Amino acid sequence: MPRPRARDLGIRIGWLRTGPNNAITDVPGVRVGHTTLIRGEGRLVRGVGPVRTGVTAVIPHDGPLYGVAVPGTVHRINGFGEVANALQVEELGVIEGPIMIGSTLNVPLIENAVITYLAERFPAMGVTSWGISPVIAETSDAWLNDMIGRHTRDEHVAAAIDQAAGGPVAEGAVGGGTGMTCFEFKGGIGTASRVISHDLAGVELTRPYTLGVLVQSNFGMRWQLRVDGVPVGEALERWNLRDEGLRGWRPDGLRDPKSSIIIVVATDAPMDQRQLTRLAVRAGAGLARTGSVHGHGSGDFVIAFSNGHVLPGIPANPERPVAFDVLPENGPLVDVFFQATVEATEEAILNSMFRAETMTGRDGHTAHAIPIEETVAIMRRFGHDAVHLPGG
Amino acid sequence: MPRPRARDLGIRIGWLRTGPNNAITDVPGVRVGHTTLIRGEGRLVRGVGPVRTGVTAVIPHDGPLYGVAVPGTVHRINGFGEVANALQVEELGVIEGPIMIGSTLNVPLIENAVITYLAERFPAMGVTSWGISPVIAETSDAWLNDMIGRHTRDEHVAAAIDQAAGGPVAEGAVGGGTGMTCFEFKGGIGTASRVISHDLAGVELTRPYTLGVLVQSNFGMRWQLRVDGVPVGEALERWNLRDEGLRGWRPDGLRDPKSSIIIVVATDAPMDQRQLTRLAVRAGAGLARTGSVHGHGSGDFVIAFSNGHVLPGIPANPERPVAFDVLPENGPLVDVFFQATVEATEEAILNSMFRAETMTGRDGHTAHAIPIEETVAIMRRFGHDAVHLPGG
Amino acid sequence: MPRPRARDLGIRIGWLRTGPNNAITDVPGVRVGHTTLIRGEGRLVRGVGPVRTGVTAVIPHDGPLYGVAVPGTVHRINGFGEVANALQVEELGVIEGPIMIGSTLNVPLIENAVITYLAERFPAMGVTSWGISPVIAETSDAWLNDMIGRHTRDEHVAAAIDQAAGGPVAEGAVGGGTGMTCFEFKGGIGTASRVISHDLAGVELTRPYTLGVLVQSNFGMRWQLRVDGVPVGEALERWNLRDEGLRGWRPDGLRDPKSSIIIVVATDAPMDQRQLTRLAVRAGAGLARTGSVHGHGSGDFVIAFSNGHVLPGIPANPERPVAFDVLPENGPLVDVFFQATVEATEEAILNSMFRAETMTGRDGHTAHAIPIEETVAIMRRFGHDAVHLPGG
Amino acid sequence: MPRPRARDLGIRIGWLRTGPNNAITDVPGVRVGHTTLIRGEGRLVRGVGPVRTGVTAVIPHDGPLYGVAVPGTVHRINGFGEVANALQVEELGVIEGPIMIGSTLNVPLIENAVITYLAERFPAMGVTSWGISPVIAETSDAWLNDMIGRHTRDEHVAAAIDQAAGGPVAEGAVGGGTGMTCFEFKGGIGTASRVISHDLAGVELTRPYTLGVLVQSNFGMRWQLRVDGVPVGEALERWNLRDEGLRGWRPDGLRDPKSSIIIVVATDAPMDQRQLTRLAVRAGAGLARTGSVHGHGSGDFVIAFSNGHVLPGIPANPERPVAFDVLPENGPLVDVFFQATVEATEEAILNSMFRAETMTGRDGHTAHAIPIEETVAIMRRFGHDAVHLPGG
């Protein structure tokens, strides 16, 4: 039986409606593909394994992967990490090509693989015109994986792009999330979405919009974890200790500070970079609600884009001003998007944990899946009566 | 009987120890002063009243108010608002003079009053040397106050500075917080602190450090309010509705989007601007935990400073490199400061509400104090057994 | 006989065509108004005089001054100074109301005067809606003026706004520029413009665009001054010394480091904030060509706006996405705008000096006008044969 | 006979004294190494050649390349390009490892090679601790080189690091600069330095400081080029045309907009990131003086560092606050550093051109060296009498 998503347990974050798959792919045109690499067991041998890694592709639009761009932003919450080509995104306001997420030290190989992939398919690239500056993000799987071995090859990157599809998205220990841990449980890929329809915003929309989030989660200490506000992490560690008095915080809790999260926010609402950056800030608020304090060693980045406009790519040479409708920013509509971003981010993180299976990696390191039964019990103990076991 | 602080109700945010007054003034050298202006009732007459406003001074160090500077930063979470002289702070890395917080349209008059105050006391200012660029922040009290009347005078500003003192800090509807509302309840000034001592950080500190937060709270919709994770706001609005099914979010909840929060973070740990900006980002995480989504119309700013070094002020002309110890940023110590910032910010916001009394202002507008009895009941209903009525 | 502008001397900066008045007012809808305050002589008495100050209004569009906004940015090159409300401009991407430039310590009084001016004319402001956050910039006239006396009154601000007009713009020691010095000569207000027509850009424009610049100049040491690349400042100080050997740089040249420049860039081309920020960076390049190294004590700020779109103001509540054409950013068109910004900024600074008359202010301080005859001779000595005396 | 540097021609930029080699290596501890790859001729065959590329290593300090960090910054003037790991530098304020500069599409391979290089030498890296985030910058050599073939291999990167040395630095078409063009002439690597000694700054320095600059130049259109203010580019293109009247700017001048510059600024003066960013802004002013308008397609980045403090690297865990002297920022000393940065940047760019030999690359594309004789004649024609032919 597959592990449940948050909603399967009756955990509903916030007030807004989800899209049909409660996934980033609910945003029309957005596709997700994973390549998962699991190979070997036992003791770490650099360059050999064990391998617990992978790569995830988020395709932002259904146009060609070269010569087309969408408004986008890379927002740094805590910059202990790398998002390749973020400075160009900041300057030009757009994201080109696929967005890739993988393992920290694999970023160069993934970026090089994307260049190869596109150069083979788009001969004009890099000769008669500029190259391409794809956005590559990462979190560290060093605890389970032979990270320094850098096992992601060109074909793995190509496969993630080629297999990218709409519809339901695999979550947990898949793709870039394969070797990740979150709140000292198994983490990885998670996703969620919200619908902004006209009756909610108080303004007449020409059509409903969708906002979707995908995360690669790899951060946090167990005692920090909150599930819809309930101190689940602390309860799991020291049940019944909560109200026994003021305790000092124990630094031995800092067991794995080499952690990070990548949050991808997508929407089909027409937004420009400045507006998307405002969304990205709210993704940080959703992250904070799960208990994160954006730890020092955490690379917490948000990549946000809108495919409400598909623009000519950077090498193109349009001859006239480009029509660009922007969301009205004065009314309550913007606040609904902010609320949606907070909700979807929080829920995507929970999904990345609930859906992940226990995994043993290099040197026998084991990342346990968060226990469903105990979590449900704690939630109910803290008054969330609607939470229940799957099928319960 | 005075209204309780969060801790008086058994609500303890996080794990770290508070300072002796659980206030920003626990940071040695930091002083706070308020001038509160309450005058008139009934219908708004511009320039006359009713007046429900004031000004709060945070004095960052115990040196002279001119010719001395401390490392500081102004961090924009959502920039719908103004912090005077923020750009100079960003460039030079220091804050000079008193930090003032008041009513939105009063910022110019408060800034001018600070210049007058300092020019009278420091004749060198502005003639043989530069002037001064004090940091002035604001939130809007337009709902209770004749904001456009701009009632803050030079003497009110001088009084707030002159009366600034260490020790316990008045909270709620005082000083700049007089006319503010928070989560559609009465808000205003709140404060809290945390102690970072050597046994917590895993590194040997030469002395314990203190981190203090003071907020002027004026944001949020009622249904968003979370108290230590418990959905108190929603419960107060629609008790028992929580688990009845997925509901759309109702835009009529957007009753007062003209809201904001100013968060002042102080520490005596030696930090430079970049490090203080990292703290400021975490203040945003503390804010998010109370339910804020950093609404569009909210001026959410963090002003952070360290008085671990008191530097020569901007007009000075030191002849040698200035010795400047900085906190080691690689170990767990930084994470303890991050945790402290999140905890103190969340608790300061709660204190700003719990301590505030109901107030009626212009045109009969009434901001109700958050009901203590119901809040305690809700907290207990949600499993927080240690929460109790004051004296209970 | 009035002092000449740079072009009257045959000094032509760059290649692009100017607008009809070679002024920021060549941008349709942009108006400029000055209030100049000159009063008293002799010894400085604080609050009395001598007064050598003023205020300049740049009105960005021909719509109402409240309830309408234009895309805009405030760019910090060196932040030793203040631009009021810059953070809100950064967040929301727009500038509201008039842009005012004055004397450093007068910023609060000018800002308060603008609030008063608008509140009297727009009763809705600040009550049923937000207030307004006008952009106020400054440079320091402390060397000639009783700066600390803060002599700018409400009526001076109102007059600058009310008298704002299109057409030729008064330059030199007028308005906010009254008491300013530049490269240790008299400086102040200067302006220039460039036309971007379709035959230049290689793309078919639906209409020609105009880019205009207005500066309030108050920076630099004499020996740094370059006029169209010619080391005029050094030649004026030590004629014939240039080639006599490598000399150490003498710190006694730092005679007035309390200097700054405000550069306002306007265009009717449709641009958003990100694009305008790119223009603002190029204004810095134009400034650098005159010899500025952006001195430590210099508040070097660029305020850029486009009135190609006039948007609903911040308090408005539009119901549908706003149509917003943006300039294509891939072709050479953007580079022409960059070139235009560099050229117009350099020329506006020169105009601010060439047009300024010698002025004596407080304590007998005299700022001499740059000598025309010697400058022309130096330019010709350095091979600029087309430079000539006015009428010559 | 080798081509001359600017000073060999009597072109002296500014007033400050140079270091012994007038090179970035005048900063104690800084070393530079190049690997130059020149292979094949004729028609471009992807993956085969012709190859006109390379890689340059700037080693910031003489400590080990892992486990040690120096304060640093990456400053974006125009972000059409990539500097790998810039976001981490921004967050943590330090640069680790070697700084590498190469060809645009080679950035991933160079970054991966640096990881490999360090992992082999420092076994702890990436397993018991974090990895490393080296700074990799680039400009495009697509016009002369088979850029898309990505010919930089691990051994080329290792050789550049291993051969890095102090003393004189090879300039022109070497290392990362091999295939670059500047102002439509051959460009590439250039360097210069300035000494800040106590008699210049007006403050007593405990020792003189050095500031050095190294550039990889690859930007600009010929007609834009200025040499010490003289319009050499325009004169070379259309001698005697300058003063014939106002001409429209011709877009056919945009012959190679795929241009960029990387500027590395080094100093041994104790500075933190904020201060280094202020230097980086001034590097932009030096760039502007050569005629650059920071073209749209130009990746103009400044990487600045101080090795006045060598800090524990990111994975270290220091137990006490780190002593950190900072330069006094109030006196004229800072302005001398600003002046030094402007001068050294301008001169380094000129050196990159004067020292470069004509090169023919892929598809017969030829980048001509700037003609020395004509340049000298033009400089003299424009009144720079001290300029002379080498040996003249």
Side-chain angles (χ1 to χ4, degrees):
Chain A
M1 201 182 84
R3 288 174 56 88
R5 308 182 79 192
R7 259 164 216 266
D8 298 332
L9 300 172
I11 300 170
R12 288 185 301 269
I13 302 300
W15 291 266
L16 294 168
R17 238 182 346 114
T18 73
N21 291 302
N22 194 17
I24 196 171
T25 48
D26 291 332
V27 179
V30 175
R31 289 163 288 149
V32 175
H34 301 298
T35 297
T36 304
L37 301 173
I38 299 177
R39 206 169 56 223
E41 289 187 13
R43 203 163 163 67
L44 173 67
V45 182
R46 277 197 187 195
V48 176
V51 178
R52 301 287 185 277
T53 195
V55 62
T56 291
V58 179
I59 313 294
H61 55 80
D62 48 21
L65 283 173
Y66 178 71
V68 165
V70 292
T73 196
V74 176
H75 174 66
R76 170 174 63 99
I77 301 173
N78 191 57
F80 207 120
E82 160 79 330
V83 181
N85 293 301
L87 294 179
Q88 181 160 322
V89 172
E90 193 173 349
E91 180 75 34
L92 300 179
V94 294
I95 289 178
E96 293 182 298
I99 296 164
M100 309 299 295
I101 321 174
S103 163
T104 302
L105 292 182
N106 283 343
V107 165
L109 292 180
I110 296 170
E111 185 177 1
N112 192 56
V114 173
I115 293 169
T116 298
Y117 180 94
L118 294 174
E120 287 172 357
R121 286 154 182 80
F122 301 93
M125 199 187 91
V127 178
T128 61
S129 71
W130 283 280
I132 193 161
S133 301
V135 171
I136 321 287
E138 52 76 29
T139 64
S140 167
D141 47 22
W143 200 66
L144 291 175
N145 179 47
D146 172 25
M147 183 174 73
I148 205 128
R150 287 163 285 168
H151 294 276
T152 313
R153 297 283 164 268
D154 284 7
E155 59 266 28
H156 304 141
V157 172
I161 297 172
D162 287 339
Q163 292 163 16
V169 172
E171 292 171 305
V174 294
T178 301
M180 304 301 161
T181 56
C182 192
F183 293 111
E184 302 179 68
F185 291 112
K186 187 72 192 73
I189 302 293
T191 190
S193 71
R194 294 294 184 272
V195 176
I196 294 93
S197 55
H198 85 290
D199 56 319
L200 296 175
V203 304
E204 190 181 344
L205 303 181
T206 50
R207 57 181 176 89
Y209 295 124
T210 302
L211 183 141
V213 170
L214 179 141
V215 302
Q216 179 167 307
S217 73
N218 192 44
F219 67 96
M221 284 166 281
R222 188 168 299 180
W223 49 269
Q224 292 175 322
L225 172 64
R226 296 263 171 158
V227 178
D228 200 10
V230 175
V232 167
E234 185 177 6
L236 282 170
E237 286 221 8
R238 8 192 194 195
W239 188 281
N240 281 332
L241 292 184
R242 171 72 178 170
D243 298 324
E244 287 185 354
L246 193 61
R247 285 156 295 112
W249 173 69
R250 301 178 313 176
D252 66 328
L254 283 160
R255 281 180 290 252
D256 187 20
K258 297 178 278 302
S259 51
S260 297
I261 184 169
I262 301 300
I263 304 172
V264 181
V265 179
T267 184
D268 58 341
M271 292 193 177
D272 65 16
Q273 182 179 58
R274 183 182 53 73
Q275 293 174 316
L276 291 163
T277 301
R278 301 186 79 195
L279 293 192
V281 169
R282 277 68 191 183
L287 171 58
R289 290 179 185 206
T290 67
S292 168
V293 300
H294 314 308
H296 165 66
S298 195
D300 294 1
F301 293 99
V302 186
I303 301 162
F305 66 85
S306 159
N307 62 13
H309 292 98
V310 177
L311 300 170
I314 291 167
N317 189 350
E319 302 213 345
R320 293 161 183 288
V322 181
F324 197 102
D325 289 353
V326 289
L327 206 72
E329 212 162 336
N330 299 324
L333 181 54
V334 171
D335 277 322
V336 183
F337 277 94
F338 290 173
Q339 182 74 30
T341 307
V342 172
E343 292 184 5
T345 302
E346 186 176 352
E347 188 161 332
I349 293 167
L350 297 180
N351 284 339
S352 78
M353 298 177 68
F354 286 129
R355 291 283 292 135
E357 308 272 356
T358 296
M359 175 176 285
T360 299
R362 64 118 167 148
D363 296 323
H365 289 181
T366 297
H368 291 281
I370 188 170
I372 299 295
E373 201 166 334
E374 289 85 340
T375 298
V376 165
I378 292 166
M379 296 291 289
R380 295 180 65 91
R381 157 70 179 76
F382 278 91
H384 289 249
D385 306 337
V387 176
H388 54 78
L389 281 176
Chain B
M1 203 182 81
R3 288 173 56 88
R5 307 181 79 191
R7 261 167 212 264
D8 299 332
L9 300 173
I11 300 169
R12 289 187 299 272
I13 301 301
W15 292 266
L16 294 167
R17 244 189 334 121
T18 73
N21 290 302
N22 194 16
I24 196 171
T25 49
D26 291 332
V27 179
V30 175
R31 289 163 287 148
V32 174
H34 300 299
T35 297
T36 305
L37 301 173
I38 298 177
R39 204 168 59 224
E41 290 188 12
R43 205 167 160 64
L44 173 69
V45 181
R46 276 196 186 195
V48 176
V51 177
R52 300 289 184 277
T53 194
V55 62
T56 291
V58 179
I59 313 293
H61 55 78
D62 48 21
L65 283 173
Y66 178 70
V68 164
V70 292
T73 196
V74 176
H75 174 66
R76 170 174 63 98
I77 302 173
N78 192 56
F80 206 120
E82 160 78 331
V83 180
N85 294 302
L87 294 180
Q88 181 159 322
V89 172
E90 193 173 350
E91 179 77 33
L92 300 178
V94 294
I95 289 178
E96 294 183 298
I99 297 164
M100 310 299 296
I101 321 174
S103 164
T104 302
L105 292 181
N106 282 344
V107 165
L109 292 179
I110 295 170
E111 186 178 0
N112 192 56
V114 172
I115 294 169
T116 297
Y117 179 95
L118 294 174
E120 287 171 356
R121 285 154 182 81
F122 300 92
M125 198 186 91
V127 178
T128 61
S129 72
W130 283 282
I132 193 161
S133 301
V135 171
I136 321 287
E138 51 77 28
T139 64
S140 167
D141 47 22
W143 200 67
L144 290 175
N145 178 47
D146 172 25
M147 182 175 73
I148 206 131
R150 287 163 285 170
H151 294 276
T152 313
R153 298 283 163 266
D154 284 6
E155 59 266 28
H156 304 141
V157 172
I161 297 172
D162 288 338
Q163 293 163 17
V169 172
E171 292 172 303
V174 294
T178 302
M180 305 302 161
T181 57
C182 192
F183 292 112
E184 303 179 69
F185 291 113
K186 187 73 193 74
I189 301 294
T191 190
S193 71
R194 293 295 183 272
V195 176
I196 294 93
S197 55
H198 84 290
D199 55 320
L200 296 176
V203 305
E204 190 182 344
L205 302 180
T206 50
R207 58 182 176 88
Y209 296 124
T210 302
L211 183 141
V213 170
L214 179 140
V215 301
Q216 179 167 307
S217 74
N218 192 45
F219 68 96
M221 285 166 280
R222 188 167 298 181
W223 51 267
Q224 293 176 321
L225 172 64
R226 295 266 171 156
V227 178
D228 200 11
V230 175
V232 168
E234 184 177 7
L236 283 169
E237 287 222 8
R238 8 189 197 198
W239 189 280
N240 280 334
L241 292 185
R242 173 70 176 170
D243 299 324
E244 286 185 354
L246 193 60
R247 286 157 292 111
W249 173 69
R250 300 178 312 175
D252 65 329
L254 283 161
R255 280 181 291 252
D256 187 20
K258 296 178 279 303
S259 52
S260 297
I261 184 167
I262 301 300
I263 303 172
V264 181
V265 180
T267 184
D268 58 343
M271 291 193 179
D272 64 15
Q273 182 178 58
R274 183 183 53 75
Q275 294 174 316
L276 291 164
T277 302
R278 301 186 79 196
L279 292 191
V281 169
R282 277 68 190 182
L287 171 58
R289 290 180 186 206
T290 66
S292 168
V293 299
H294 315 308
H296 164 66
S298 196
D300 293 2
F301 294 100
V302 186
I303 300 162
F305 66 86
S306 159
N307 62 14
H309 292 99
V310 176
L311 301 170
I314 290 167
N317 188 349
E319 304 214 344
R320 292 161 185 287
V322 181
F324 196 101
D325 289 354
V326 289
L327 205 72
E329 211 162 335
N330 297 326
L333 182 54
V334 171
D335 278 322
V336 184
F337 276 95
F338 290 173
Q339 182 75 30
T341 307
V342 172
E343 291 185 6
T345 301
E346 185 176 354
E347 188 162 331
I349 293 167
L350 296 179
N351 284 339
S352 78
M353 298 178 68
F354 285 129
R355 291 283 293 136
E357 308 271 357
T358 295
M359 174 177 286
T360 299
R362 64 118 166 149
D363 297 323
H365 290 180
T366 296
H368 291 280
I370 186 171
I372 300 295
E373 201 164 333
E374 287 86 340
T375 298
V376 165
I378 293 166
M379 297 290 289
R380 296 179 67 89
R381 157 70 179 75
F382 278 90
H384 288 248
D385 306 335
V387 176
H388 53 77
L389 281 176
Chain C
M1 200 182 83
R3 287 174 56 87
R5 308 182 79 190
R7 259 163 215 265
D8 299 331
L9 300 172
I11 300 170
R12 290 187 299 270
I13 302 300
W15 292 267
L16 295 167
R17 246 190 330 122
T18 72
N21 291 302
N22 194 16
I24 197 172
T25 48
D26 291 333
V27 179
V30 175
R31 288 164 288 148
V32 174
H34 300 299
T35 298
T36 304
L37 301 173
I38 298 178
R39 205 168 55 223
E41 290 187 12
R43 207 168 157 64
L44 172 70
V45 182
R46 276 196 186 196
V48 176
V51 178
R52 301 287 185 277
T53 195
V55 62
T56 292
V58 178
I59 313 294
H61 55 78
D62 49 21
L65 283 173
Y66 178 71
V68 164
V70 291
T73 195
V74 176
H75 174 65
R76 169 174 64 97
I77 301 173
N78 191 57
F80 206 119
E82 159 78 334
V83 180
N85 293 303
L87 294 179
Q88 181 160 322
V89 172
E90 193 174 349
E91 180 75 33
L92 300 178
V94 293
I95 289 178
E96 293 182 299
I99 297 165
M100 309 299 296
I101 321 174
S103 164
T104 302
L105 293 181
N106 282 343
V107 164
L109 293 180
I110 296 170
E111 186 178 359
N112 191 56
V114 172
I115 294 169
T116 298
Y117 179 95
L118 294 174
E120 287 172 356
R121 285 154 181 81
F122 300 93
M125 198 187 91
V127 179
T128 61
S129 72
W130 282 280
I132 192 161
S133 300
V135 171
I136 321 288
E138 52 75 30
T139 63
S140 167
D141 46 22
W143 200 66
L144 291 175
N145 178 47
D146 171 26
M147 182 174 75
I148 206 128
R150 287 163 284 168
H151 294 276
T152 314
R153 298 283 164 267
D154 283 7
E155 58 266 28
H156 305 140
V157 172
I161 298 172
D162 287 339
Q163 293 162 17
V169 172
E171 291 172 303
V174 294
T178 301
M180 304 302 161
T181 56
C182 192
F183 292 111
E184 303 181 69
F185 291 114
K186 188 72 193 73
I189 300 295
T191 190
S193 71
R194 292 294 182 274
V195 175
I196 294 92
S197 54
H198 86 289
D199 56 320
L200 296 174
V203 304
E204 191 183 345
L205 302 180
T206 49
R207 58 182 176 89
Y209 295 124
T210 302
L211 183 141
V213 169
L214 179 141
V215 302
Q216 178 166 307
S217 74
N218 192 45
F219 68 95
M221 285 165 281
R222 189 166 298 180
W223 51 269
Q224 294 175 321
L225 172 64
R226 295 264 171 158
V227 177
D228 200 9
V230 174
V232 167
E234 185 178 5
L236 283 169
E237 287 222 5
R238 8 191 195 194
W239 189 282
N240 281 334
L241 292 184
R242 172 70 177 170
D243 299 324
E244 287 184 355
L246 192 61
R247 285 157 294 111
W249 174 70
R250 301 178 313 176
D252 66 327
L254 284 161
R255 281 180 290 252
D256 187 18
K258 298 179 277 303
S259 52
S260 297
I261 184 168
I262 301 301
I263 303 172
V264 181
V265 179
T267 185
D268 58 342
M271 291 193 179
D272 64 17
Q273 181 178 59
R274 184 182 52 75
Q275 294 174 314
L276 290 164
T277 301
R278 301 185 80 195
L279 292 192
V281 169
R282 276 69 190 183
L287 171 58
R289 290 179 184 207
T290 67
S292 169
V293 300
H294 315 309
H296 165 67
S298 195
D300 293 2
F301 293 100
V302 186
I303 302 162
F305 65 85
S306 159
N307 63 13
H309 291 100
V310 177
L311 300 170
I314 291 167
N317 190 350
E319 304 214 345
R320 292 160 186 288
V322 181
F324 195 102
D325 289 353
V326 288
L327 205 72
E329 212 162 337
N330 298 326
L333 181 54
V334 170
D335 277 321
V336 184
F337 277 95
F338 290 174
Q339 182 75 30
T341 306
V342 172
E343 292 185 5
T345 301
E346 186 176 352
E347 187 162 333
I349 293 167
L350 296 180
N351 285 338
S352 78
M353 298 178 68
F354 286 128
R355 291 283 292 134
E357 309 270 358
T358 295
M359 175 177 283
T360 299
R362 63 119 167 148
D363 296 323
H365 290 180
T366 296
H368 291 280
I370 187 171
I372 299 295
E373 202 165 332
E374 287 85 341
T375 298
V376 165
I378 293 166
M379 297 289 289
R380 296 178 67 90
R381 157 69 178 77
F382 278 91
H384 288 249
D385 305 336
V387 176
H388 53 78
L389 282 176
Chain D
M1 202 183 84
R3 288 173 55 89
R5 308 183 79 192
R7 259 165 214 263
D8 299 331
L9 301 173
I11 300 170
R12 291 187 296 269
I13 302 300
W15 291 267
L16 295 168
R17 238 183 345 117
T18 72
N21 290 302
N22 195 17
I24 196 171
T25 49
D26 292 331
V27 180
V30 175
R31 288 163 289 149
V32 175
H34 300 299
T35 298
T36 305
L37 302 173
I38 298 178
R39 205 168 56 225
E41 291 187 12
R43 202 164 162 66
L44 173 70
V45 181
R46 278 198 185 194
V48 176
V51 178
R52 300 288 183 277
T53 194
V55 62
T56 291
V58 179
I59 313 294
H61 55 79
D62 48 21
L65 283 173
Y66 178 71
V68 164
V70 291
T73 195
V74 176
H75 174 65
R76 170 174 63 98
I77 301 174
N78 192 57
F80 205 119
E82 159 78 332
V83 180
N85 293 302
L87 294 179
Q88 182 160 322
V89 172
E90 192 174 350
E91 180 76 33
L92 300 177
V94 294
I95 288 177
E96 293 182 298
I99 297 165
M100 309 301 294
I101 322 174
S103 164
T104 302
L105 292 182
N106 281 344
V107 165
L109 292 180
I110 296 170
E111 185 176 1
N112 192 57
V114 173
I115 294 169
T116 297
Y117 180 95
L118 294 174
E120 287 172 357
R121 285 153 182 80
F122 300 93
M125 198 186 93
V127 178
T128 62
S129 72
W130 283 281
I132 193 161
S133 300
V135 171
I136 321 287
E138 51 77 29
T139 64
S140 167
D141 47 21
W143 200 66
L144 291 174
N145 179 47
D146 171 26
M147 182 173 76
I148 207 131
R150 287 162 283 168
H151 294 275
T152 314
R153 296 285 163 265
D154 284 7
E155 58 268 27
H156 305 140
V157 172
I161 297 172
D162 287 338
Q163 293 163 16
V169 173
E171 293 172 302
V174 294
T178 302
M180 304 301 162
T181 56
C182 191
F183 292 112
E184 302 180 69
F185 291 113
K186 188 70 194 73
I189 301 295
T191 189
S193 71
R194 293 294 183 272
V195 175
I196 294 92
S197 56
H198 85 290
D199 56 319
L200 297 174
V203 305
E204 190 182 345
L205 303 181
T206 50
R207 57 180 176 91
Y209 295 123
T210 302
L211 183 140
V213 170
L214 179 140
V215 303
Q216 179 168 307
S217 73
N218 192 44
F219 68 96
M221 285 166 280
R222 188 166 298 179
W223 49 270
Q224 293 175 322
L225 172 64
R226 295 263 172 158
V227 177
D228 199 11
V230 174
V232 167
E234 184 177 5
L236 283 170
E237 287 222 6
R238 10 190 193 195
W239 190 281
N240 282 332
L241 291 185
R242 172 70 177 172
D243 299 323
E244 288 185 353
L246 193 62
R247 286 156 295 110
W249 174 72
R250 300 178 313 177
D252 66 330
L254 284 160
R255 282 181 289 252
D256 187 17
K258 299 178 278 298
S259 51
S260 297
I261 184 168
I262 301 301
I263 303 171
V264 181
V265 179
T267 184
D268 58 342
M271 293 194 178
D272 63 16
Q273 182 178 58
R274 184 183 52 74
Q275 295 174 315
L276 290 164
T277 302
R278 300 185 80 197
L279 292 192
V281 169
R282 276 70 190 182
L287 172 58
R289 290 178 185 210
T290 66
S292 168
V293 300
H294 315 309
H296 165 67
S298 194
D300 293 2
F301 294 99
V302 186
I303 301 162
F305 66 84
S306 159
N307 63 13
H309 293 98
V310 177
L311 301 170
I314 291 166
N317 189 350
E319 303 215 343
R320 293 162 184 287
V322 180
F324 195 102
D325 289 355
V326 288
L327 204 73
E329 212 162 337
N330 299 326
L333 181 55
V334 171
D335 277 321
V336 184
F337 277 95
F338 290 174
Q339 182 75 30
T341 307
V342 172
E343 292 184 6
T345 302
E346 186 176 353
E347 188 162 330
I349 294 167
L350 297 180
N351 284 339
S352 78
M353 298 177 68
F354 286 128
R355 291 284 291 136
E357 308 271 358
T358 296
M359 175 177 284
T360 299
R362 63 121 167 147
D363 295 324
H365 289 180
T366 296
H368 291 280
I370 186 170
I372 299 296
E373 201 165 333
E374 288 85 340
T375 298
V376 166
I378 293 166
M379 296 291 289
R380 297 179 66 90
R381 158 69 180 77
F382 278 91
H384 289 248
D385 306 337
V387 176
H388 54 78
L389 281 176

